[in-house]
Amino acid sequence: MSTYLVPDQTTSHHRTAINGENQIPKEEEEAYNKLHEKLDGILATMPKDKGWRSQNIFLYKDFWLSSGVIKGLLMIHDYFQPQPTDIFLAAFMKCGTTWLKALMFATANRNRFKFSDHPLNRTGPQSAFPFLDTHIYLDYPVTKFDHLPSPRLFATHFAHSLLPTSMTSPSSTAKFVYVCRDPKDAFISKWHFMSKLRSKELTPISFNEAYDLFCNGISEYGPFWDHVLGYWKASRESPEKILFLKYEDMKREPSMELKKLAAFMGMPFTAAEEEGGVVEEIVKLCSFENLSNLQVNKDGGGAQKFTAQVVVENHDFFRKGNVGDWENYLTEEMRNRIDSITETKLKGSGLTLGLTKKT
Ligand code: A3P
C-alpha cells in the first residue's frame, strides 16, 4: 500500500471488521453493504463498452468509468466530507497529474523541508497525497482523511459534473487545480500506460482500436473533451475556485505557471523567496529529469496500490514528458480527426487546447 508523506493515515486509521478493538459499527457495515448493492444495480443496467485496462467500462452519468471508480464515486458522495481549505488536483488521465502532485506538495510544504533533503526525492510524487477516486475505500469500509494537515491535498480524475456539490459548488471554498493537455498527446500517453496495465488475460488493445475508442469518447474517465469543458466552464464561472492550467504552458514557462499556482493556492511566493531562488528550486525538484531519475521511480523502485487488483509501478508514470510526441505516432488523417473533434466540441467555449498563444 502506498504511504503518504504527511502523515501516513492509510495505516493509522485502518480498521477491521474482524472482532477486535476497532470493530466497525454495525450501521456502518450495513451502509457499506447497501452501497455495494447499489453498485451492482448500476453495473447491471448501465451501457458498457470495452475498457482499456479492464474488460469493461460503464457509461455512468455521461462518463465512461471502471467499476472500481464508480464504487469510489458513490463513496465520495456518501462519505467524503470536504473541508473549506481542501485543494483538489483534477485532470483527465495522463495530462500531468504526477507533475502537479509534486508541484502542489512542494509548494504547500516549502517551509517544512530542505530542498537538499526533500522527501519527494525519496518517495516520489505519487505518494505525496491521496488519489481520492479509489483511496476512499482502501481502508475498509471507508478511509478517513481527518489526519491530513491543512490544506488537505487530493487528486482526482473525475469529471466536474460527477463530483458532489459539497466539493464543486461555488459557495464551498474548497479549490480545484485543473490541468489539461493536447488530446493527441494525452491519447498517446494513455495508450502506452493502459497497455502496460491491461490484464494479461485479456487480448491487448491495438493502437488503432484505442484511437477509435478515444475519438468516440470511450476510455476511462472520458470523453476527454467533455471532461476538459466541464472544468473549463466552471473555471470561467468561478475563477477563484478553479485554476485552469495547461501542460504545454507549464513546459514553456514553468516558473511563471508555478507562481500562478502558488498564488491560487493562497500561498504566493514572497519577494524574498523569489530573490532566494525558491521558485526555481521547486521547478527543478519537480522536473521530469529529476523525478524520473529517482531510485523510487526506477523500474522496481516502488509502486502504488490503487485497488486490490490495480498496483502500478511508480516507473510507469514517467515516459517521455514531451509536448508533441503524437507526431511520432499519428498519421495526418488521424491527427486531423482529433483536431476536428476538438474544434467542434470546443467551438464557442473560448478554450483552445495546446500552447496558449501570447498576445
Ligand atoms: P508522456 O507519456 O507523454 O511522457 P499523469 O501524471 O497525469 O499520469 O501524466 C503522465 C504524463 O506526464 C506522461 O507523459 C509522463 O511522462 C508525464 N510526466 C510525468 N512527470 C512529469 C514531470 N515532472 N514533468 C513533465 N511531464 C511529466
Side-chain angles (χ1 to χ4, degrees):
M1 179 174 296
S2 58
T3 48
Y4 288 92
L5 287 174
V6 278
D8 175 6
Q9 40 73 59
T10 58
T11 47
S12 59
H13 281 263
H14 187 82
R15 297 177 298 164
T16 171
I18 305 161
N19 285 344
E21 284 167 26
N22 293 325
Q23 202 169 6
I24 292 164
K26 198 143 192 60
E27 320 79 73
E28 226 174 279
E29 213 172 344
E30 278 169 10
Y32 187 77
N33 291 339
K34 273 212 181 102
L35 186 134
H36 265 262
E37 282 167 24
K38 189 172 165 188
L39 176 66
D40 290 342
I42 289 171
L43 299 183
T45 52
M46 287 295 121
K48 60 181 177 185
D49 211 306
K50 193 162 186 168
W52 292 32
R53 184 193 58 74
S54 54
Q55 188 157 20
N56 290 122
I57 46 177
F58 301 83
L59 186 62
Y60 183 69
K61 300 189 175 174
D62 299 331
F63 287 90
W64 291 97
L65 303 173
S66 67
S67 56
V69 304
I70 296 178
K71 174 178 165 181
L73 186 62
L74 297 180
M75 292 190 66
I76 291 170
H77 276 263
D78 283 4
Y79 296 105
F80 183 67
Q81 290 175 341
Q83 291 178 3
T85 49
D86 285 347
I87 307 179
F88 300 95
L89 161 61
F92 185 80
M93 287 181 74
K94 314 319 289 174
C95 289
T97 313
T98 308
W99 192 7
L100 258 301
K101 256 192 162 184
L103 289 169
M104 287 170 68
F105 179 81
T107 301
N109 294 288
R110 63 187 187 263
N111 296 322
R112 292 182 62 206
F113 305 119
K114 285 192 198 131
F115 291 110
S116 56
D117 180 33
H118 202 283
L120 277 177
N121 281 331
R122 291 188 292 279
T123 69
Q126 290 305 329
S127 307
F129 52 86
F131 176 61
L132 188 57
D133 307 12
T134 51
H135 198 131
I136 184 89
Y137 60 81
L138 272 188
D139 284 357
Y140 178 83
V142 60
T143 308
K144 311 271 181 190
F145 296 107
D146 311 341
H147 281 59
L148 289 176
S150 177
R152 302 186 309 175
L153 305 176
F154 297 97
T156 180
H157 288 323
F158 283 125
H160 189 260
S161 61
L162 292 178
L163 292 167
T165 47
S166 57
M167 286 166 69
T168 56
S169 118
S171 60
S172 98
T173 54
K175 292 180 177 180
F176 282 82
V177 174
Y178 186 76
V179 59
C180 78
R181 193 179 189 187
D182 182 330
K184 300 188 288 302
D185 279 337
F187 161 65
I188 299 296
S189 185
K190 187 168 181 177
W191 181 69
H192 279 102
F193 183 73
M194 295 306 243
S195 300
K196 281 193 183 161
L197 300 193
R198 188 163 173 81
S199 163
K200 300 288 167 271
E201 285 135 39
L202 302 172
T203 44
I205 292 208
S206 73
F207 183 77
N208 286 345
E209 187 181 7
Y211 173 81
D212 273 334
L213 288 168
F214 186 82
C215 288
N216 291 327
I218 305 168
S219 76
E220 289 78 358
Y221 293 100
F224 173 90
W225 297 270
D226 304 61
H227 199 284
V228 174
L229 273 174
Y231 281 97
W232 170 251
K233 286 178 184 158
S235 77
R236 300 268 285 209
E237 280 158 24
S238 313
E240 69 297 338
K241 189 174 171 71
I242 302 185
L243 176 69
F244 195 93
L245 298 173
K246 293 182 182 176
Y247 184 94
E248 294 77 13
D249 293 345
M250 290 172 51
K251 285 292 279 191
R252 178 175 62 186
E253 285 176 308
S255 299
M256 203 174 97
E257 297 300 303
L258 176 59
K259 283 191 227 170
K260 232 194 255 177
L261 174 70
F264 175 79
M265 290 172 75
M267 310 162 178
F269 292 106
T270 61
E273 281 180 315
E274 289 200 23
E275 277 159 31
V278 175
V279 177
E280 285 71 27
E281 285 282 7
I282 294 179
V283 166
K284 196 165 93 191
L285 173 71
C286 303
S287 67
F288 184 86
E289 290 64 34
N290 180 56
L291 295 178
S292 61
N293 283 308
L294 297 174
Q295 196 51 42
V296 70
N297 292 330
K298 297 267 190 207
D299 207 1
Q304 304 299 314
K305 180 174 179 176
F306 287 93
T307 68
Q309 292 80 29
V310 185
V311 178
V312 184
E313 290 247 358
N314 290 341
H315 176 254
D316 291 337
F317 290 98
F318 301 91
R319 196 179 62 92
K320 289 187 179 171
N322 289 338
V323 170
D325 190 40
W326 60 265
E327 292 191 32
N328 298 315
Y329 294 87
L330 300 183
T331 62
E332 190 66 19
E333 194 186 329
M334 287 172 131
R335 172 227 170 119
N336 289 341
R337 181 169 165 205
I338 296 195
D339 284 349
S340 111
I341 298 170
T342 304
E343 204 183 311
T344 310
K345 287 266 199 179
L346 269 50
K347 201 167 181 185
S349 69
L351 174 65
T352 52
L353 294 179
L355 204 58
T356 304
K357 286 203 183 83
K358 295 225 170 186
T359 44

